[in-house]
Amino acid sequence: MNYKVGIVSLGCAKNQVDAEMLLYTLKNRGFIIVNDPADADAVIVNTCGFIESAKQESINEIIELGKLKDEGKIKAIIVTGCLAQRYKSEISEQLYEVDSVIGIGANETIADIVLKTLDGQKCESFPDKVCLPLEGGRILSTPPYTAYLKIAEGCDNRCSYCAIPMIRGRFRSRDIEDVVKEAEGLAERGVRELNVIAQDTTRFGEDKYGKPMLAELLRRLCRIDGFKWIRVLYCYPDRITDELIDTIASEDKIVKYMDIPLQHCDGDVLRRMNRHGDRESLTALMNKIKDKIPNVIFRSTFITGFPGETEEQFNELAEFAAEMKFQRLGCFAYSPEEDTKAAEMPDQIDDEIKQKRADIIMEHQQQVMAEYCESLVGKEIEVLVEGFDKLAECFFGRSYADAPEVDGCVFFTCDGEKPKAGDFVKVRVTDYTGCDSVGEFVGKID
């Protein structure tokens, strides 16, 4: 019997790549892949377990799928990913909907797990995390013109608030030749935008080669025909070297977009986070990057209400955000995660205060993003077309300032030859709405 399998993947792009490898493994074993879980015999939930809201999203998804199972539309629910790795047997004990639970190290055996589960066996499998494969085929779940390229797994940074090292294990770089080979294959499949990801991309190569190799990898990727945009995400500030900055500045294919999760700027708060730097050093880093890459777009994340954060330290963070004018910024109230050092720290802050502080940062950020959008009015910008919005009756896409799924869009009208998804076009910006630019089609670039 050819069983039908669907996957629901939650959380970050790194998790999405894992799901794409699961899909490939299943298809190779003869399973029929379906997009709608209601059409599947078995549904795999590739969960996120990073913070409380992500955990709740995963649980809610499992409960909703359980309703389909109760109705007889699906036969089995299998849970993998970060939540499964973190809570193991607790999931099947507390969520009656779940039939099997496997850790990330068991992903390579997913086909056997699905068959056993559909045969009525309840499986729990938690091999060592290092068994999670770094190489393998993928069925892309992104549009055909864009893809993620995961260059490493795990994390060694040990931030005091973060459970990722416990969940995903030690940092493991892929071999640079294997990464380049996969990228070449993506280019041959028509991918035009390559998004380079890892928990900390700037650490790439340190464990395998004894030195940072991200800059070298990026130069190799830029030599591959087919890519027009190469975007680097998740750059840890401590490891942003002059070589990396110069590489991003000089390589035309690398979009001038730097995703640098800073979390805070106060030196004492950062030390308790087990991170480094202070407002002075971080300001110096940002200014150095701006000097070498004048048109750079910064994306960052902040945490408010970390244990012991004083009103003065929060005010310093708010001042830093106002001074730096990050064009892209997310601010989150601190979420205590069990088994992390920060969760056991004294001076935990009231949830209402944490959230209020985050709201203050984001309220000001709306002004910063509006100022950025205003600065684009009258200019022609390059846009990667993603589709046509029937409701708005216009096309939409992304500029280099917009990473997929996390940033804004560019909406534009077109009276002449219609572009298609994956085309690069010029758009003259005439206005903006919220954080999205609005404009008119000028012409195709290629």
Side-chain angles (χ1 to χ4, degrees):
M1 178 179 178
N2 290 325
Y3 289 115
K4 297 177 181 178
V5 179
I7 290 186
V8 177
S9 190
L10 305 169
C12 67
K14 299 177 287 294
N15 216 33
Q16 186 174 346
V17 172
D18 291 346
E20 292 172 347
M21 294 176 72
L22 289 171
L23 287 169
Y24 181 88
T25 300
L26 291 164
K27 188 173 182 180
N28 259 18
R29 283 286 295 272
F31 290 93
I32 299 169
I33 307 301
V34 296
N35 293 324
D36 186 349
D39 295 333
D41 296 303
V43 178
I44 299 162
V45 187
N46 190 30
T47 58
C48 179
F50 180 44
I51 57 176
E52 187 59 37
S53 60
K55 289 186 282 187
Q56 193 58 53
E57 182 187 17
S58 296
I59 291 168
N60 291 344
E61 184 64 41
I62 292 167
I63 292 171
E64 287 302 310
L65 289 169
K67 295 176 182 177
L68 293 177
K69 185 179 168 188
D70 290 342
E71 294 169 5
K73 293 182 179 178
I74 59 177
K75 298 182 178 68
I77 298 173
I78 299 152
V79 178
T80 184
C82 289
L83 193 75
Q85 181 66 45
R86 189 171 185 184
Y87 294 104
K88 298 182 171 65
S89 58
E90 292 177 49
I91 292 177
S92 54
E93 290 170 3
Q94 297 180 21
L95 293 168
Y96 79 90
E97 299 90 346
V98 175
D99 296 288
S100 293
V101 185
I102 65 171
I104 60 174
N107 277 9
E108 205 164 28
T109 64
I110 188 63
D112 292 330
I113 296 291
V114 172
L115 287 173
K116 289 178 182 178
T117 306
L118 286 170
D119 194 40
Q121 301 180 49
K122 284 187 173 290
C123 302
E124 289 189 2
S125 179
F126 300 94
D128 195 301
K129 303 177 189 73
V130 299
C131 296
L132 175 72
L134 299 183
E135 317 294 338
R138 294 161 56 190
I139 295 178
L140 296 184
S141 56
T142 51
Y145 51 81
T146 185
Y148 294 103
L149 180 68
K150 188 163 78 165
I151 62 175
E153 177 56 62
C155 187
D156 284 348
N157 289 329
R158 301 285 171 180
C159 299
S160 64
Y161 54 82
C162 183
I164 291 297
M166 291 185 289
I167 298 170
R168 308 295 295 198
R170 297 292 303 272
F171 188 87
R172 294 187 291 145
S173 297
R174 295 176 59 189
D175 186 272
I176 195 168
E177 299 299 333
D178 291 334
V179 175
V180 171
K181 183 177 179 181
E182 181 180 357
E184 289 171 342
L186 291 171
E188 289 170 3
R189 292 165 68 175
V191 171
R192 307 295 310 283
E193 178 191 40
L194 190 70
N195 300 286
V196 179
I197 57 171
Q199 196 63 39
D200 174 3
T201 52
T202 41
R203 191 185 277 269
F204 174 73
E206 285 187 6
D207 57 317
K208 186 175 285 287
Y209 301 102
K211 62 179 181 178
M213 291 290 284
L214 180 60
E216 171 62 22
L217 173 62
L218 291 175
R219 290 191 291 268
R220 294 278 301 273
L221 295 176
C222 286
R223 295 202 289 269
I224 298 173
D225 291 335
F227 298 134
K228 186 169 178 60
W229 283 357
I230 297 175
R231 188 185 305 274
V232 189
L233 302 174
Y234 314 122
C235 294
Y236 199 79
D238 287 10
R239 296 186 178 84
I240 296 177
T241 62
D242 288 344
E243 181 190 17
L244 178 60
I245 297 171
D246 291 341
T247 300
I248 294 173
S250 61
E251 293 285 357
D252 290 339
K253 289 185 179 180
I254 303 178
V255 296
K256 312 315 175 193
Y257 177 108
M258 294 199 68
D259 175 17
I260 310 174
L262 298 177
Q263 314 307 359
H264 215 283
C265 72
D266 179 80
D268 183 55
V269 173
L270 287 168
R271 280 189 291 277
R272 284 185 283 115
M273 287 180 169
N274 197 33
R275 296 173 69 92
H276 307 282
D278 53 25
R279 182 174 178 178
E280 182 180 359
S281 64
L282 294 175
T283 299
L285 173 63
M286 300 293 107
N287 287 337
K288 178 196 286 187
I289 295 171
K290 287 179 183 178
D291 288 343
K292 293 192 174 185
I293 314 173
N295 56 341
V296 67
I297 296 294
F298 283 127
R299 177 173 184 84
S300 193
T301 51
F302 292 160
I303 295 173
T304 56
F306 188 78
E309 181 192 55
T310 65
E311 192 70 30
E312 291 75 19
Q313 289 168 333
F314 165 69
N315 288 336
E316 184 180 17
L317 180 63
E319 291 170 4
F320 177 69
E323 177 187 336
M324 288 293 100
K325 293 186 181 296
F326 298 92
Q327 296 94 337
R328 306 287 183 250
L329 179 68
C331 188
F332 306 93
Y334 166 70
S335 172
E337 295 300 313
E338 59 264 54
D339 301 322
T340 62
K341 289 184 178 180
E344 304 301 320
M345 288 180 178
D347 302 319
Q348 298 284 328
I349 293 173
D350 182 77
D351 287 346
E352 187 175 339
I353 294 174
K354 291 188 292 189
Q355 190 58 55
K356 182 180 179 181
R357 291 177 179 179
D359 291 343
I360 289 171
I361 296 284
M362 290 311 296
E363 284 172 12
H364 180 266
Q365 182 60 22
Q366 295 300 315
Q367 299 174 10
V368 172
M369 290 190 288
E371 289 174 11
Y372 172 69
C373 288
E374 180 68 34
S375 73
L376 296 178
V377 174
K379 296 180 180 178
E380 291 185 3
I381 61 174
E382 188 173 67
V383 173
L384 170 57
V385 180
E386 297 203 289
F388 184 81
D389 188 322
K390 293 181 179 179
L391 193 63
E393 296 185 332
C394 65
F395 291 88
F396 65 93
R398 290 182 287 107
S399 72
Y400 82 93
D402 303 305
E405 301 179 48
V406 296
D407 294 324
C409 286
V410 179
F411 294 94
F412 64 95
T413 56
C414 179
D415 295 328
E417 181 186 354
K418 308 303 183 188
K420 62 182 186 298
D423 285 346
F424 284 87
V425 301
K426 283 283 186 184
V427 171
R428 181 181 297 108
V429 179
T430 58
D431 201 353
Y432 62 94
T433 175
C435 302
D436 299 323
S437 294
V438 176
E440 303 167 339
F441 174 81
V442 175
K444 289 188 179 181
I445 294 174
D446 57 5

mmCIF file of all heavy atoms in Angstrom, residues 257-292:
data_model
loop_
_atom_site.group_PDB
_atom_site.id
_atom_site.type_symbol
_atom_site.label_atom_id
_atom_site.label_comp_id
_atom_site.label_asym_id
_atom_site.label_seq_id
_atom_site.Cartn_x
_atom_site.Cartn_y
_atom_site.Cartn_z
ATOM 1 N N TYR A 257 22.622 43.079 3.690
ATOM 2 C CA TYR A 257 21.638 42.851 4.746
ATOM 3 C C TYR A 257 22.332 42.033 5.820
ATOM 4 O O TYR A 257 22.783 40.921 5.541
ATOM 5 C CB TYR A 257 20.446 42.105 4.158
ATOM 6 C CG TYR A 257 19.334 41.710 5.108
ATOM 7 C CD1 TYR A 257 18.099 42.364 5.067
ATOM 8 C CD2 TYR A 257 19.473 40.653 6.003
ATOM 9 C CE1 TYR A 257 17.053 41.980 5.901
ATOM 10 C CE2 TYR A 257 18.441 40.262 6.843
ATOM 11 C CZ TYR A 257 17.232 40.932 6.788
ATOM 12 O OH TYR A 257 16.202 40.558 7.618
ATOM 13 N N MET A 258 22.437 42.567 7.018
ATOM 14 C CA MET A 258 23.120 41.835 8.083
ATOM 15 C C MET A 258 22.172 41.599 9.244
ATOM 16 O O MET A 258 21.662 42.532 9.861
ATOM 17 C CB MET A 258 24.380 42.577 8.529
ATOM 18 C CG MET A 258 25.430 42.627 7.440
ATOM 19 S SD MET A 258 27.098 42.988 8.052
ATOM 20 C CE MET A 258 27.478 41.505 8.994
ATOM 21 N N ASP A 259 21.941 40.332 9.508
ATOM 22 C CA ASP A 259 21.082 39.893 10.601
ATOM 23 C C ASP A 259 21.993 39.602 11.795
ATOM 24 O O ASP A 259 22.713 38.601 11.805
ATOM 25 C CB ASP A 259 20.314 38.649 10.154
ATOM 26 C CG ASP A 259 19.480 38.045 11.265
ATOM 27 O OD1 ASP A 259 19.231 38.733 12.268
ATOM 28 O OD2 ASP A 259 19.072 36.881 11.125
ATOM 29 N N ILE A 260 21.956 40.477 12.806
ATOM 30 C CA ILE A 260 22.868 40.379 13.945
ATOM 31 C C ILE A 260 22.038 40.407 15.233
ATOM 32 O O ILE A 260 21.708 41.484 15.743
ATOM 33 C CB ILE A 260 23.888 41.539 13.963
ATOM 34 C CG1 ILE A 260 24.550 41.687 12.592
ATOM 35 C CG2 ILE A 260 24.933 41.318 15.043
ATOM 36 C CD1 ILE A 260 25.456 42.909 12.483
ATOM 37 N N PRO A 261 21.673 39.255 15.775
ATOM 38 C CA PRO A 261 20.887 39.248 17.017
ATOM 39 C C PRO A 261 21.738 39.746 18.196
ATOM 40 O O PRO A 261 22.662 39.070 18.636
ATOM 41 C CB PRO A 261 20.508 37.772 17.193
ATOM 42 C CG PRO A 261 20.766 37.130 15.860
ATOM 43 C CD PRO A 261 21.881 37.898 15.252
ATOM 44 N N LEU A 262 21.432 40.931 18.704
ATOM 45 C CA LEU A 262 22.231 41.552 19.765
ATOM 46 C C LEU A 262 21.671 41.259 21.157
ATOM 47 O O LEU A 262 22.420 41.194 22.127
ATOM 48 C CB LEU A 262 22.309 43.064 19.552
ATOM 49 C CG LEU A 262 22.991 43.525 18.257
ATOM 50 C CD1 LEU A 262 22.937 45.044 18.144
ATOM 51 C CD2 LEU A 262 24.426 43.035 18.198
ATOM 52 N N GLN A 263 20.385 41.172 21.296
ATOM 53 C CA GLN A 263 19.654 40.863 22.530
ATOM 54 C C GLN A 263 19.648 41.990 23.574
ATOM 55 O O GLN A 263 18.651 42.214 24.232
ATOM 56 C CB GLN A 263 20.148 39.549 23.165
ATOM 57 C CG GLN A 263 20.309 38.391 22.211
ATOM 58 C CD GLN A 263 19.087 38.079 21.372
ATOM 59 O OE1 GLN A 263 18.050 38.711 21.470
ATOM 60 N NE2 GLN A 263 19.214 37.111 20.471
ATOM 61 N N HIS A 264 20.754 42.694 23.720
ATOM 62 C CA HIS A 264 20.783 43.832 24.654
ATOM 63 C C HIS A 264 22.028 44.640 24.350
ATOM 64 O O HIS A 264 22.850 44.259 23.504
ATOM 65 C CB HIS A 264 20.798 43.347 26.107
ATOM 66 C CG HIS A 264 20.040 44.244 27.044
ATOM 67 N ND1 HIS A 264 20.545 45.452 27.505
ATOM 68 C CD2 HIS A 264 18.803 44.123 27.590
ATOM 69 C CE1 HIS A 264 19.642 46.021 28.306
ATOM 70 N NE2 HIS A 264 18.573 45.237 28.371
ATOM 71 N N CYS A 265 22.179 45.785 25.029
ATOM 72 C CA CYS A 265 23.399 46.576 24.851
ATOM 73 C C CYS A 265 24.083 46.884 26.168
ATOM 74 O O CYS A 265 25.237 47.338 26.172
ATOM 75 C CB CYS A 265 23.081 47.883 24.116
ATOM 76 S SG CYS A 265 22.167 49.080 25.114
ATOM 77 N N ASP A 266 23.411 46.636 27.287
ATOM 78 C CA ASP A 266 24.030 46.913 28.579
ATOM 79 C C ASP A 266 25.042 45.821 28.913
ATOM 80 O O ASP A 266 24.725 44.626 28.849
ATOM 81 C CB ASP A 266 22.961 46.989 29.668
ATOM 82 C CG ASP A 266 23.555 47.246 31.047
ATOM 83 O OD1 ASP A 266 23.866 48.413 31.347
ATOM 84 O OD2 ASP A 266 23.734 46.259 31.794
ATOM 85 N N GLY A 267 26.251 46.213 29.269
ATOM 86 C CA GLY A 267 27.321 45.256 29.499
ATOM 87 C C GLY A 267 27.013 44.267 30.604
ATOM 88 O O GLY A 267 27.304 43.074 30.487
ATOM 89 N N ASP A 268 26.382 44.724 31.684
ATOM 90 C CA ASP A 268 26.078 43.837 32.802
ATOM 91 C C ASP A 268 25.002 42.829 32.410
ATOM 92 O O ASP A 268 25.110 41.637 32.728
ATOM 93 C CB ASP A 268 25.620 44.661 34.010
ATOM 94 C CG ASP A 268 25.363 43.782 35.228
ATOM 95 O OD1 ASP A 268 26.278 43.035 35.626
ATOM 96 O OD2 ASP A 268 24.235 43.811 35.759
ATOM 97 N N VAL A 269 23.964 43.283 31.723
ATOM 98 C CA VAL A 269 22.914 42.366 31.271
ATOM 99 C C VAL A 269 23.506 41.335 30.307
ATOM 100 O O VAL A 269 23.225 40.137 30.413
ATOM 101 C CB VAL A 269 21.761 43.135 30.602
ATOM 102 C CG1 VAL A 269 20.756 42.161 29.991
ATOM 103 C CG2 VAL A 269 21.056 44.049 31.602
ATOM 104 N N LEU A 270 24.341 41.786 29.385
ATOM 105 C CA LEU A 270 24.948 40.867 28.428
ATOM 106 C C LEU A 270 25.826 39.835 29.119
ATOM 107 O O LEU A 270 25.836 38.656 28.739
ATOM 108 C CB LEU A 270 25.760 41.643 27.382
ATOM 109 C CG LEU A 270 24.920 42.406 26.343
ATOM 110 C CD1 LEU A 270 25.789 43.372 25.553
ATOM 111 C CD2 LEU A 270 24.200 41.443 25.409
ATOM 112 N N ARG A 271 26.559 40.240 30.145
ATOM 113 C CA ARG A 271 27.392 39.272 30.877
ATOM 114 C C ARG A 271 26.525 38.210 31.532
ATOM 115 O O ARG A 271 26.878 37.021 31.533
ATOM 116 C CB ARG A 271 28.252 39.998 31.913
ATOM 117 C CG ARG A 271 29.501 40.649 31.338
ATOM 118 C CD ARG A 271 30.422 41.153 32.436
ATOM 119 N NE ARG A 271 29.844 42.291 33.155
ATOM 120 C CZ ARG A 271 29.913 43.552 32.734
ATOM 121 N NH1 ARG A 271 30.537 43.834 31.594
ATOM 122 N NH2 ARG A 271 29.375 44.526 33.447
ATOM 123 N N ARG A 272 25.399 38.619 32.109
ATOM 124 C CA ARG A 272 24.511 37.639 32.743
ATOM 125 C C ARG A 272 23.822 36.767 31.702
ATOM 126 O O ARG A 272 23.384 35.662 32.004
ATOM 127 C CB ARG A 272 23.505 38.357 33.642
ATOM 128 C CG ARG A 272 24.154 38.825 34.951
ATOM 129 C CD ARG A 272 23.177 39.429 35.937
ATOM 130 N NE ARG A 272 22.814 40.792 35.542
ATOM 131 C CZ ARG A 272 21.605 41.169 35.176
ATOM 132 N NH1 ARG A 272 20.628 40.298 35.108
ATOM 133 N NH2 ARG A 272 21.355 42.424 34.836
ATOM 134 N N MET A 273 23.719 37.270 30.494
ATOM 135 C CA MET A 273 23.215 36.448 29.382
ATOM 136 C C MET A 273 24.298 35.491 28.859
ATOM 137 O O MET A 273 24.034 34.686 27.969
ATOM 138 C CB MET A 273 22.759 37.341 28.230
ATOM 139 C CG MET A 273 21.465 38.093 28.474
ATOM 140 S SD MET A 273 21.062 39.121 27.003
ATOM 141 C CE MET A 273 19.374 39.612 27.395
ATOM 142 N N ASN A 274 25.504 35.606 29.387
ATOM 143 C CA ASN A 274 26.683 34.886 28.888
ATOM 144 C C ASN A 274 27.007 35.299 27.456
ATOM 145 O O ASN A 274 27.406 34.499 26.617
ATOM 146 C CB ASN A 274 26.513 33.362 28.961
ATOM 147 C CG ASN A 274 27.851 32.639 28.843
ATOM 148 O OD1 ASN A 274 28.879 33.153 29.294
ATOM 149 N ND2 ASN A 274 27.851 31.475 28.234
ATOM 150 N N ARG A 275 26.821 36.592 27.204
ATOM 151 C CA ARG A 275 27.209 37.191 25.937
ATOM 152 C C ARG A 275 28.253 38.266 26.232
ATOM 153 O O ARG A 275 28.565 38.532 27.391
ATOM 154 C CB ARG A 275 25.977 37.780 25.230
ATOM 155 C CG ARG A 275 24.964 36.714 24.859
ATOM 156 C CD ARG A 275 23.691 37.306 24.312
ATOM 157 N NE ARG A 275 23.899 37.907 23.005
ATOM 158 C CZ ARG A 275 23.741 37.281 21.836
ATOM 159 N NH1 ARG A 275 23.382 36.015 21.825
ATOM 160 N NH2 ARG A 275 23.915 37.907 20.695
ATOM 161 N N HIS A 276 28.787 38.838 25.185
ATOM 162 C CA HIS A 276 29.900 39.758 25.348
ATOM 163 C C HIS A 276 29.554 41.144 24.805
ATOM 164 O O HIS A 276 28.584 41.317 24.068
ATOM 165 C CB HIS A 276 31.140 39.218 24.633
ATOM 166 C CG HIS A 276 31.492 37.823 25.044
ATOM 167 N ND1 HIS A 276 32.124 37.526 26.222
ATOM 168 C CD2 HIS A 276 31.257 36.627 24.426
ATOM 169 C CE1 HIS A 276 32.290 36.223 26.327
ATOM 170 N NE2 HIS A 276 31.766 35.648 25.241
ATOM 171 N N GLY A 277 30.380 42.115 25.172
ATOM 172 C CA GLY A 277 30.230 43.451 24.627
ATOM 173 C C GLY A 277 29.418 44.363 25.527
ATOM 174 O O GLY A 277 28.931 43.982 26.596
ATOM 175 N N ASP A 278 29.279 45.582 25.072
ATOM 176 C CA ASP A 278 28.481 46.592 25.756
ATOM 177 C C ASP A 278 28.044 47.615 24.711
ATOM 178 O O ASP A 278 28.319 47.455 23.520
ATOM 179 C CB ASP A 278 29.278 47.259 26.897
ATOM 180 C CG ASP A 278 30.621 47.805 26.445
ATOM 181 O OD1 ASP A 278 30.777 48.121 25.233
ATOM 182 O OD2 ASP A 278 31.526 47.918 27.275
ATOM 183 N N ARG A 279 27.381 48.660 25.157
ATOM 184 C CA ARG A 279 26.855 49.628 24.212
ATOM 185 C C ARG A 279 27.961 50.243 23.366
ATOM 186 O O ARG A 279 27.809 50.412 22.149
ATOM 187 C CB ARG A 279 26.087 50.723 24.957
ATOM 188 C CG ARG A 279 25.456 51.760 24.030
ATOM 189 C CD ARG A 279 24.582 52.721 24.808
ATOM 190 N NE ARG A 279 24.008 53.746 23.945
ATOM 191 C CZ ARG A 279 23.173 54.685 24.358
ATOM 192 N NH1 ARG A 279 22.803 54.728 25.634
ATOM 193 N NH2 ARG A 279 22.689 55.592 23.512
ATOM 194 N N GLU A 280 29.082 50.541 23.984
ATOM 195 C CA GLU A 280 30.186 51.178 23.255
ATOM 196 C C GLU A 280 30.732 50.265 22.164
ATOM 197 O O GLU A 280 30.913 50.677 21.012
ATOM 198 C CB GLU A 280 31.297 51.561 24.231
ATOM 199 C CG GLU A 280 32.463 52.277 23.573
ATOM 200 C CD GLU A 280 33.558 52.661 24.562
ATOM 201 O OE1 GLU A 280 33.388 52.377 25.766
ATOM 202 O OE2 GLU A 280 34.576 53.228 24.130
ATOM 203 N N SER A 281 30.999 49.002 22.515
ATOM 204 C CA SER A 281 31.593 48.084 21.528
ATOM 205 C C SER A 281 30.595 47.730 20.428
ATOM 206 O O SER A 281 30.973 47.608 19.257
ATOM 207 C CB SER A 281 32.091 46.811 22.218
ATOM 208 O OG SER A 281 31.019 46.084 22.792
ATOM 209 N N LEU A 282 29.331 47.578 20.781
ATOM 210 C CA LEU A 282 28.326 47.251 19.770
ATOM 211 C C LEU A 282 28.082 48.435 18.840
ATOM 212 O O LEU A 282 27.909 48.251 17.627
ATOM 213 C CB LEU A 282 27.024 46.812 20.434
ATOM 214 C CG LEU A 282 27.101 45.489 21.219
ATOM 215 C CD1 LEU A 282 25.793 45.219 21.933
ATOM 216 C CD2 LEU A 282 27.482 44.323 20.320
ATOM 217 N N THR A 283 28.083 49.634 19.398
ATOM 218 C CA THR A 283 27.950 50.824 18.551
ATOM 219 C C THR A 283 29.120 50.926 17.582
ATOM 220 O O THR A 283 28.941 51.239 16.397
ATOM 221 C CB THR A 283 27.872 52.100 19.418
ATOM 222 O OG1 THR A 283 26.717 52.016 20.272
ATOM 223 C CG2 THR A 283 27.769 53.346 18.558
ATOM 224 N N ALA A 284 30.319 50.630 18.090
ATOM 225 C CA ALA A 284 31.513 50.679 17.238
ATOM 226 C C ALA A 284 31.410 49.660 16.106
ATOM 227 O O ALA A 284 31.776 49.946 14.956
ATOM 228 C CB ALA A 284 32.760 50.426 18.070
ATOM 229 N N LEU A 285 30.892 48.465 16.415
ATOM 230 C CA LEU A 285 30.733 47.432 15.388
ATOM 231 C C LEU A 285 29.741 47.888 14.321
ATOM 232 O O LEU A 285 30.012 47.778 13.115
ATOM 233 C CB LEU A 285 30.263 46.126 16.027
ATOM 234 C CG LEU A 285 29.895 45.004 15.052
ATOM 235 C CD1 LEU A 285 31.101 44.561 14.236
ATOM 236 C CD2 LEU A 285 29.281 43.813 15.802
ATOM 237 N N MET A 286 28.589 48.384 14.763
ATOM 238 C CA MET A 286 27.576 48.843 13.805
ATOM 239 C C MET A 286 28.119 49.965 12.918
ATOM 240 O O MET A 286 27.889 49.980 11.707
ATOM 241 C CB MET A 286 26.328 49.341 14.538
ATOM 242 C CG MET A 286 25.619 48.320 15.421
ATOM 243 S SD MET A 286 24.858 46.958 14.497
ATOM 244 C CE MET A 286 25.999 45.655 14.929
ATOM 245 N N ASN A 287 28.841 50.883 13.514
ATOM 246 C CA ASN A 287 29.386 52.013 12.745
ATOM 247 C C ASN A 287 30.462 51.559 11.766
ATOM 248 O O ASN A 287 30.572 52.086 10.652
ATOM 249 C CB ASN A 287 29.925 53.083 13.689
ATOM 250 C CG ASN A 287 28.807 53.846 14.387
ATOM 251 O OD1 ASN A 287 27.679 53.897 13.903
ATOM 252 N ND2 ASN A 287 29.114 54.439 15.537
ATOM 253 N N LYS A 288 31.267 50.589 12.185
ATOM 254 C CA LYS A 288 32.283 50.052 11.274
ATOM 255 C C LYS A 288 31.619 49.432 10.047
ATOM 256 O O LYS A 288 32.060 49.644 8.916
ATOM 257 C CB LYS A 288 33.131 48.993 11.986
ATOM 258 C CG LYS A 288 34.186 48.357 11.080
ATOM 259 C CD LYS A 288 34.744 47.076 11.653
ATOM 260 C CE LYS A 288 35.682 47.336 12.805
ATOM 261 N NZ LYS A 288 36.368 46.090 13.251
ATOM 262 N N ILE A 289 30.554 48.654 10.286
ATOM 263 C CA ILE A 289 29.846 48.023 9.177
ATOM 264 C C ILE A 289 29.232 49.088 8.265
ATOM 265 O O ILE A 289 29.328 49.013 7.036
ATOM 266 C CB ILE A 289 28.768 47.060 9.702
ATOM 267 C CG1 ILE A 289 29.423 45.890 10.446
ATOM 268 C CG2 ILE A 289 27.899 46.540 8.555
ATOM 269 C CD1 ILE A 289 28.439 45.003 11.196
ATOM 270 N N LYS A 290 28.618 50.101 8.860
ATOM 271 C CA LYS A 290 28.013 51.178 8.060
ATOM 272 C C LYS A 290 29.054 51.898 7.215
ATOM 273 O O LYS A 290 28.791 52.275 6.068
ATOM 274 C CB LYS A 290 27.324 52.183 8.982
ATOM 275 C CG LYS A 290 26.027 51.695 9.600
ATOM 276 C CD LYS A 290 25.457 52.782 10.518
ATOM 277 C CE LYS A 290 24.194 52.331 11.212
ATOM 278 N NZ LYS A 290 23.670 53.371 12.147
ATOM 279 N N ASP A 291 30.240 52.098 7.779
ATOM 280 C CA ASP A 291 31.298 52.790 7.036
ATOM 281 C C ASP A 291 31.728 51.999 5.811
ATOM 282 O O ASP A 291 32.004 52.564 4.747
ATOM 283 C CB ASP A 291 32.512 53.038 7.946
ATOM 284 C CG ASP A 291 32.252 54.125 8.987
ATOM 285 O OD1 ASP A 291 31.285 54.898 8.793
ATOM 286 O OD2 ASP A 291 32.996 54.176 9.988
ATOM 287 N N LYS A 292 31.808 50.667 5.960
ATOM 288 C CA LYS A 292 32.279 49.826 4.859
ATOM 289 C C LYS A 292 31.151 49.421 3.910
ATOM 290 O O LYS A 292 31.394 49.104 2.741
ATOM 291 C CB LYS A 292 32.969 48.575 5.409
ATOM 292 C CG LYS A 292 34.279 48.885 6.144
ATOM 293 C CD LYS A 292 35.074 47.631 6.409
ATOM 294 C CE LYS A 292 36.445 47.953 7.001
ATOM 295 N NZ LYS A 292 37.289 46.761 7.152
#
